[in-house]
Amino acid sequence: MDFTTITNIASKKAPSRNPSVSEGRSTTLDDELNQPTVSVIRLVDLLVEHAHAAGSSDIHLDPRPDGLLVRLRVDGVLRDTHHLPKRYQHEIIARIKILCGLRTDEHQAAQDGRFRAELVSGSAVDVRVSIVPTYHGENGVMRLLASQAREHSLETLDFTSANQEKIIRAAKRPFGMILATGPTGSGKTTTLYTLVKELNHPEVSIITIEDPVEYAISGINQIQINPRTNLTFANGLRSMLRQDPNIIMVGEIRDTETAGLAVNTALTGHLVLSTLHTNDAPTTLPRLLDMRVEPYLIASTVNIAIGQRLVRRICSHCIAERKLTGAERESLRATVPDRLLEAGDTFFVGRGCAVCRNTGFKGRVGIHEVMEVDTPVREAILRKASAAEIRSVAIAQGMIPMLEDGFQKAMSGATTIPEVLRLRHE
């Protein structure tokens, strides 16, 4: 993927309010580098502009011995896009620090910040920044966040109708916990935001505590944690209870103190939504045990655990059918249930076209497993069963495993089998 020309600013578009976004933004990054006097301000602007136009979620600025490597994460996959001269490395990182209000004289400590970039289209994008010192100098990772949350529903997040019913049933309960689990970048926060928006009614009070506040939602009190003022997840949760909330969203349960407070909050008549970093839904429950939460409290408070991943979606402009070979079918038998393999041997791939930049993929699709904590699962929790045993009990109660959900979506043409099989290695 090359740095293509940024769309010219049409006369009908309003001028940017950001002084750093000025005339001349229709040039490419290469054009800027070829100027006699290079503007680092415009270089950073062009990086953000191009990443947003390419549908990128993250910009990686990786220092190398001979330069600064720029990589973009598009549809979950990182790709090298440009190699900038070494002489611009320090100035680019310094410019990003200035935008975030970080210390420009500190080069040996990790720093986090945030800034808002105004685009040539007149829209804005919030950029979350992490800067860390490495062997070859400071690197930077910028995550692009929309200023407003997209209008999602459980259906547009690719939950099956059966899983939607489970989630809605849990969300209608007046107390308890709804936990979204998965690695970083698996869509957990988007799932919680979608639930919060659907639960947002005038007769209820909803408060969130997040790090950071990724999207602004009208009618909801959103709190940004601030370690400098001791506003942590745990302390913020204590303060929120004095605000008379009905529903609380905790951005992430990171430690024993937050876990204990969240569980006790759910036990005292509040609906608590949060995320955990675990591999799948059944592992959520032993993970809470590791955080010293008593088994009877977990069994009494957790309504549902949602495990999820994001895989690449086949480009709709170049999708093509593909038949499984006999050898491929046999190799899949160790992973996929026979009843799914017997359902058919027609799957799909993306041939690659200009729309998807010859990758065969455009966008991403969610793969899920939704585990209701019913009586058999509660009994397994109380006897401190392993994650594998809890999984077996949940499947017996009707949970569709994540891999099976993914295989069904591959059969429908949403994604490919290799994309689904990547779940086994994450």
Side-chain angles (χ1 to χ4, degrees):
M1 185 189 308
D2 297 323
F3 273 80
T4 55
T5 303
I6 304 299
T7 305
N8 288 323
I9 304 175
S11 58
K12 62 179 179 181
K13 294 178 180 175
S16 169
R17 297 187 299 273
N18 188 339
S20 66
V21 182
S22 55
E23 59 182 354
R25 288 294 297 272
S26 59
T27 60
T28 66
L29 187 66
D30 288 320
D31 291 337
E32 182 63 37
L33 290 170
N34 290 328
Q35 296 296 317
T37 303
V38 174
S39 168
V40 173
I41 291 175
R42 288 177 60 190
L43 279 179
V44 173
D45 289 343
L46 284 168
L47 282 171
V48 175
E49 186 76 46
H50 175 73
H52 183 267
S56 173
S57 61
D58 299 87
I59 306 170
H60 288 240
L61 303 174
D62 297 336
R64 296 289 188 264
D66 58 345
L68 184 68
L69 179 64
V70 179
R71 299 192 293 168
L72 298 185
R73 187 179 296 279
V74 180
D75 295 337
V77 177
L78 272 174
R79 292 187 177 87
D80 296 352
T81 60
H82 216 79
H83 194 276
L84 303 181
K86 187 73 173 178
R87 63 183 179 274
Y88 298 126
Q89 176 181 319
H90 174 74
E91 294 180 33
I92 289 173
I93 296 298
R95 171 59 183 167
I96 294 170
K97 286 181 178 180
I98 291 171
L99 288 171
C100 297
L102 303 178
R103 289 187 56 180
T104 57
D105 60 340
E106 176 58 75
H107 306 291
Q108 300 302 321
Q111 297 190 69
D112 297 325
R114 184 173 180 151
F115 68 92
R116 171 167 289 195
E118 305 242 359
L119 307 175
V120 294
S121 63
S123 60
V125 59
D126 288 333
V127 183
R128 191 175 73 198
V129 173
S130 173
I131 294 175
V132 175
T134 71
Y135 183 76
H136 294 296
E138 291 176 289
N139 84 332
V141 176
M142 297 186 283
R143 169 155 290 189
L144 277 58
L145 307 167
S147 300
Q148 300 290 330
R150 287 179 56 190
E151 292 299 324
H152 280 299
S153 66
L154 293 177
E155 185 175 359
T156 62
L157 292 180
D158 306 302
F159 284 96
T160 63
S161 57
N163 284 339
Q164 288 179 49
E165 290 176 7
K166 293 179 182 179
I167 296 171
I168 292 171
R169 193 157 53 236
K172 285 183 177 179
R173 298 184 63 178
F175 62 90
M177 295 181 71
I178 296 175
L179 298 174
T181 71
T184 300
S186 60
K188 302 184 299 295
T189 302
T190 301
T191 297
L192 291 191
Y193 271 117
T194 300
L195 280 174
V196 164
K197 287 191 293 181
E198 293 192 1
L199 293 168
N200 187 18
H201 302 291
E203 61 269 20
V204 298
S205 171
I206 302 178
I207 304 178
T208 75
I209 182 163
E210 308 169 57
D211 180 29
V213 174
E214 296 195 11
Y215 308 113
I217 303 177
S218 176
I220 293 176
N221 293 312
Q222 297 174 267
I223 301 171
Q224 164 79 51
I225 75 164
N226 187 350
R228 295 178 183 175
T229 61
N230 204 29
L231 181 56
T232 61
F233 278 121
N235 290 336
L237 189 50
R238 289 192 186 93
S239 300
M240 289 162 67
L241 293 175
R242 306 186 194 103
Q243 296 281 314
D244 187 31
N246 299 104
I247 301 169
I248 294 172
M249 187 184 105
V250 181
E252 182 183 348
I253 295 177
R254 295 178 177 174
D255 51 46
T256 299
E257 185 179 15
T258 306
L261 284 168
V263 166
N264 281 285
T265 299
L267 198 63
T268 56
H270 301 86
L271 184 63
V272 177
L273 290 72
S274 191
T275 68
L276 269 176
H277 282 278
T278 62
N279 288 330
D280 51 35
T283 310
T284 303
L285 307 178
R287 175 68 179 132
L288 289 173
L289 286 174
D290 291 342
M291 291 182 169
R292 302 177 188 174
V293 180
E294 293 294 333
Y296 74 91
L297 290 176
I298 300 172
S300 301
T301 56
V302 178
N303 296 342
I304 203 167
I306 305 167
Q308 59 186 81
R309 296 289 194 281
L310 292 175
V311 296
R312 290 182 292 176
R313 186 187 296 273
I314 298 175
C315 174
S316 60
H317 293 82
C318 60
I319 187 170
E321 289 188 1
R322 182 183 182 278
K323 298 284 187 180
L324 280 181
T325 65
E328 288 172 334
R329 178 181 289 275
E330 288 304 313
S331 68
L332 286 171
R333 289 193 185 278
T335 305
V336 180
D338 287 342
R339 58 185 173 80
L340 289 179
L341 286 174
E342 298 305 323
D345 60 356
T346 300
F347 291 86
F348 301 86
V349 295
R351 293 187 299 258
C353 63
V355 174
C356 62
R357 301 175 190 268
N358 292 315
T359 63
F361 298 97
K362 185 70 174 176
R364 291 192 284 179
V365 59
I367 307 295
H368 310 96
E369 60 185 13
V370 179
M371 184 183 71
E372 284 187 295
V373 181
D374 51 15
T375 300
V377 174
R378 288 193 188 96
E379 292 173 353
I381 297 169
L382 290 172
R383 64 174 181 267
K384 296 185 178 180
S386 66
E389 184 178 347
I390 292 173
R391 167 173 286 278
S392 297
V393 172
I395 291 174
Q397 293 302 113
M399 183 186 83
I400 302 298
M402 200 182 307
L403 196 65
E404 188 171 329
D405 183 55
F407 197 80
Q408 290 174 345
K409 286 168 180 170
M411 293 178 68
S412 70
T415 188
T416 65
I417 291 180
E419 280 292 297
V420 174
L421 294 181
R422 278 201 299 121
L423 298 177
R424 295 183 302 172
H425 306 294
E426 291 187 357

